[in-house]
Amino acid sequence: MLVLGLGAGMRRREFLGALGGVAVAWPLAAYAQQPATLRVGGTLTAPRTQHFLLGFEARMRELGYVEGQNLTLDYIDMQGRPDRYPTAMQELVDHKADIIISSGPEDSLKAAMAVTKTVPIVMAAIDYDPLALGYVTSLARPTGNVTGLMLAQIELAAKRLQLVKDGFAAISKATVFWDRHSAGQWHAARDNAAQFGFDLASVELRDYPYDYARALAEAPPQNRGFLIFATSPLFARDRERIVQFALLNRLPSMFVFREYVDQGGLMSYGPNRTVMSRRIADYVNRIARGAKPTELPIERPTIFELVINQRTAKALGLEFSQAMLLRADEVIE
């Protein structure tokens, strides 16, 4: 059973308000007449049936866009191959996409910006900081053809360490699984480990499909009692396999997104992806109605969800404090 307290509902409303508040300043041009047809292109690193993707499509319907009537969604499945981003983005331009959605890793935005300077790009920068890396020069006043959302995963890496320590004070050693898409998250965790009393082991996964059992064997034995997963498009593609691996090996694990916890992971801390995907739809709608990317500020989530799977904790013989359970936005019993 999913237990959702009043506090979680309030946080979710605050999150929606925090994102929606920026829309008040969006230009009147964004509310012009809806176009007769709209072609939106994007890449997929997870099945289209994932509920955060369905959230985007549901919001588009609410805004008056019906696939097959006045909306074409042109998705290209990356099939676990980040090297295909340049080709995929060129295909979207060749298919005459009106708007391109660049979601996920840095490779996605880099490829999109390389193939077009004119087609509007709505980014969901999940695994990197586009401002620090120079892809955008301002959040409040974007330049060029890029706007959208950035998730601040680098800053959140330290917060996840704190939550693990708050939940299990006795844990002082853990292993971080990361790959080339999430190197910044590992570096942030490493740099902040000492202040939370952590000895972190680093295991970089290479050569997809990843061998998680072999990766765990690379970690020092004393660091194998707790896993911290960074977020990357390849980890997202392996979500079910990762959760089953952790459960089979009786490994408590911290994740970025709640979808892992829904499937049996122990805990997660990050933004709600469904809320974010709906916000991406708002950007697409505004641009389709005449707004320019430069007129739409880049937004960062300010409210994040702590989700705990109490059922998994009990199966692993772990016990969260009552204070931690009350602090969580959702507890799966």
Side-chain angles (χ1 to χ4, degrees), residues 11 27 36 47 159 169 254 288:
R11 287 187 176 93
K159 181 65 176 180
M254 165 63 93

Side-chain angles (χ1 to χ4, degrees), residues 37-76:
T37 60
L38 177 66
R39 188 179 192 93
V40 179
T43 57
L44 292 177
T45 58
R48 187 172 169 178
T49 53
Q50 296 297 316
H51 65 77
F52 59 87
L53 292 172
L54 297 178
F56 167 80
E57 296 176 17
R59 179 58 179 156
M60 290 297 288
R61 288 192 296 271
E62 292 171 8
L63 293 167
Y65 300 89
V66 179
E67 190 173 8
Q69 296 182 19
N70 61 350
L71 174 66
T72 298
L73 294 176
D74 188 2
Y75 289 132
I76 297 177

Side-chain angles (χ1 to χ4, degrees), residues 15 113-114 157 205 232 275:
F15 185 17
M113 293 180 69
L205 287 101
S232 92
V275 172

Side-chain angles (χ1 to χ4, degrees), residues 85-86 89-90 93 100 106-118 121 135 145-146:
Y85 275 112
M89 290 302 178
Q90 186 61 60
V93 172
I100 292 175
E106 178 187 357
D107 289 349
S108 173
L109 182 60
K110 182 178 181 180
M113 293 180 69
V115 299
T116 181
K117 305 298 183 186
T118 56
I121 299 170
Y135 292 105
N145 59 328
V146 178

